[in-house]
């Protein structure tokens, strides 16, 4: 984890050098910003169109055949017809040392960078800046022109499992997406607080306590706390269900006998005794004792919580994830919830209904949010109540500029209600700084434990599959120093890349065979591309410390030039990812680069080439490996050097 943290820290760079006259333009950090600045200034001189307007409309291209930058002329909003203006601008654009004469494509101007300057700028920057190449720590500054004003702070709440329960697929997605967002905002220079808001309070812990008293084992708890507590929870819930069925049948019997005019007092008395002694009622009373601060009850709950967190940390470490704060429902102060309740009451938002306190959102301008219970009729708060208290506490403690909740799309209504209540209690400023990042669900996950989706079992299955694949090539397998560790990394990569391949709002089918394949856009393919580039460096026989001295003008082949053009886009990819907040934005770029690399190896050979050409080509491959490494780290992956 220390290596991962150091790598991400290295990805953050803040420039204190020249700032451009244009907004969000950092020529010292983003290669293509230099070109945008150059094009905008030159076009403005010959056309009279505002240079800043031109700069903000210059866009990166989805495919290299459309140029390195494209200007949609209609977006300039000039009186001249776009078809006429685009031709006029192309004709008037002055001769440039950086770009070729622009080409007209419909109403777009396409700009292609001249290879010589681009080769030199891109490769020299990557070789010198390494992990920080293309990053823009200025985005996290409150004022890029004045770094002394500090950085913007963001809280990212993610993973958030219920303690003593299985770490299931929904928590896996939240963990992967939340970890990626934390890495992204770190790279962009924000002060990031990674928060795990555990489901660690409520009547279910009374249920767990009753279950442990009946079915628990100290030895099993010490050996596998989450697994054992989960088994206990399942057993006690089965008993509670059986007792509930009996209670329901007795209630029906009483109703039937009453309708016949028969005396049911004895049956009622027996049922009352049965209900009072039932596990569900004992759990309710136990949780009430927890709420009241009973020392023994709280001590047992804290023990379950602490043991669960220890186990979770082991799993998170395998996923290259750590947290700055382990919070939870239990940590929300009653004073905060009471203050929020009071604010809502004073604002005329809440009302009484059958002894409970509710909010009818239809009466406050949003019929789609329905009705929410704030306080039960017995006076105890609900999950939503705790979240209202938590959002205020976090603002008071951390003074954040933004907070992201990485939660499944099924919880969309809950988050909308939370943000609406925050506004209604007079904190619209606070609500505006909060955002729900939602995701679809995973289907078809199977484990050795049957229908229970234990993440450790899933990772073990995938790791074993990758180990079998590695063993198939005995020669390469013998060269890997720690094949078990590498196969585990490959397995985790397989799971994470499959999760990140589509847009996060979409669900997907968990497919063990597809995700572990080396064919197509999979995690193993990405790792193989990185390992192959590392192998090229080892086998080249070149002094890799001399790559910066290479003559980059020797890279004249289309394969080389296009790869350099793609490497130049890395910073723009990061900027675009900051807008989409989608892992697939990074992943798509990395796969595009690995495909381009794969088609280049037979054309741009290192071994057997002239020494100067070999050094230049190795510098190109090393640069590609560096950017691939940076992107994989950003996604939360651990790049391997041999496999």
């Amino acid at each position: 984890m220390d290596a991962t943290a150091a790598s991400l820290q290295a990805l953050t760079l803040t420039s204190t050098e020249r700032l451009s006259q244009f907004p969000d333009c950092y020529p010292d950090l983003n290669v293509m910003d230099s070109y945008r600045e150059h094009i905008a200034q030159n076009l403005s001189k010959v056309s009279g169109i505002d240079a800043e307007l031109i700069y903000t409309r210059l866009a990166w291209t989805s495919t290299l055949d459309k140029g390195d930058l494209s200007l949609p002329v209609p977006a300039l909003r000039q009186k001249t017809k776009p078809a006429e203006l685009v031709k006029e601008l192309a004709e008037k654009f002055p001769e440039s040392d950086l770009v070729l004469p622009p080409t007209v494509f419909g109403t777009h101007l396409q700009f292609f960078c001249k290879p010589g300057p681009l080769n030199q700028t891109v490769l020299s920057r990557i070789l010198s800046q390494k992990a920080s190449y293309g990053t823009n720590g200025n985005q996290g500054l409150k004022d890029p022109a004045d770094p002394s004003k500090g950085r913007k702070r963001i809280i990212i709440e993610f993973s958030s499992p219920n303690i003593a329960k299985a770490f299931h697929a929904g928590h896996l997605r939240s963990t992967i997406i939340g970890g990626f967002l934390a890495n992204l905002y770190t790279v962009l220079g924000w002060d990031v607080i990674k928060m795990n808001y555990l489901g660690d309070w409520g009547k279910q812990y009374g249920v767990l306590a009753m279950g442990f008293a009946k079915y628990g084992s100290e030895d099993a708890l010490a050996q596998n706390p989450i697994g054992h507590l989960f088994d206990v929870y399942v057993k006690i819930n089965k008993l509670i269900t059986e007792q509930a069925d009996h209670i329901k049948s007795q209630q029906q019997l009483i109703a039937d006998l009453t309708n016949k005019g028969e005396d049911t007092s004895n049956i009622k008395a027996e049922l009352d005794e049965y209900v009072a002694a039932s596990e569900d009622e004992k759990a309710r009373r136990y949780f009430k004792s927890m709420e009241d601060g009973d020392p023994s009850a709280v001590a047992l709950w804290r023990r379950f919580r602490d043991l669960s967190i220890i186990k979770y940390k082991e799993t998170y470490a395998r996923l290259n994830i750590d947290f700055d704060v382990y919070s939870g429902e239990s940590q929300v102060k009653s004073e905060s919830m009471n203050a929020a309740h009071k604010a809502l009451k004073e604002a005329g938002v809440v009302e009484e209904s059958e002894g409970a306190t509710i909010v009818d959102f239809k009466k406050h301008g949003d019929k789609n949010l329905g009705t929410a219970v704030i306080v039960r009729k017995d006076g105890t708060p609900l999950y939503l109540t705790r979240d209202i208290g938590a959002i205020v506490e976090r603002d008071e403690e951390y003074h954040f500029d933004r907070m992201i909740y990485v939660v499944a799309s099924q919880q969309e209504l809950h988050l909308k209600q939370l943000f609406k209540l925050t506004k209604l209690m007079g904190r619209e400023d606070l609500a505006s700084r909060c955002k729900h990042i939602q995701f679809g669900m995973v289907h078809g996950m199977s484990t050795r434990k049957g229908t229970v989706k234990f993440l450790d079992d899933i990772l073990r299955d995938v790791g074993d599959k990758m180990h079998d694949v590695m063993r198939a090539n005995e020669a390469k397998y013998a060269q890997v120093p720690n094949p078990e560790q590498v196969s585990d990394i490959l397995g985790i990569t397989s799971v994470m890349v499959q999760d990140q391949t589509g847009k996060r709002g979409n669900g997907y089918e968990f497919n063990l065979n597809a995700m572990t394949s080396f064919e197509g856009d999979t995690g193993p393919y990405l790792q193989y591309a990185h390992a192959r580039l590392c192998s090229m460096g080892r086998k080249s026989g070149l002094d890799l410390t001399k790559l910066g001295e290479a003559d980059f003008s020797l890279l004249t082949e289309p394969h080389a030039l296009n790869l350099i053009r793609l490497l130049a886009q890395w910073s723009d990819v990061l900027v675009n990812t900051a807008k989409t907040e989608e892992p697939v934005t990074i992943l798509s770029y990395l796969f595009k680069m690995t495909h381009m690399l794969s088609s280049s190896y037979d054309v741009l050979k290192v071994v057997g080439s002239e020494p100067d050409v070999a050094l230049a080509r190795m510098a190109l491959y090393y640069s590609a490996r560096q950017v691939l490494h940076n992107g994989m780290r950003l996604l939360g992956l651990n790049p391997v050097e041999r496999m």
Side-chain angles (χ1 to χ4, degrees), residues 201 284-295 297-298 380:
W201 201 249
R284 188 195 65 77
R285 292 197 298 267
Y286 191 93
F287 177 62
K288 183 65 168 60
S289 72
M290 288 170 59
E291 291 261 68
D292 294 340
D294 178 81
V298 171
T380 57

Side-chain angles (χ1 to χ4, degrees), residues 10 67 115 239 304 323 340-341 354 383 414 460 462 464 495 569 624:
L239 179 57
F304 290 163
F323 289 92
H341 185 197
E354 299 181 1
Y383 188 73
H414 172 80
R460 188 187 309 115
V462 181
D464 288 348
V495 173
Q569 292 184 354

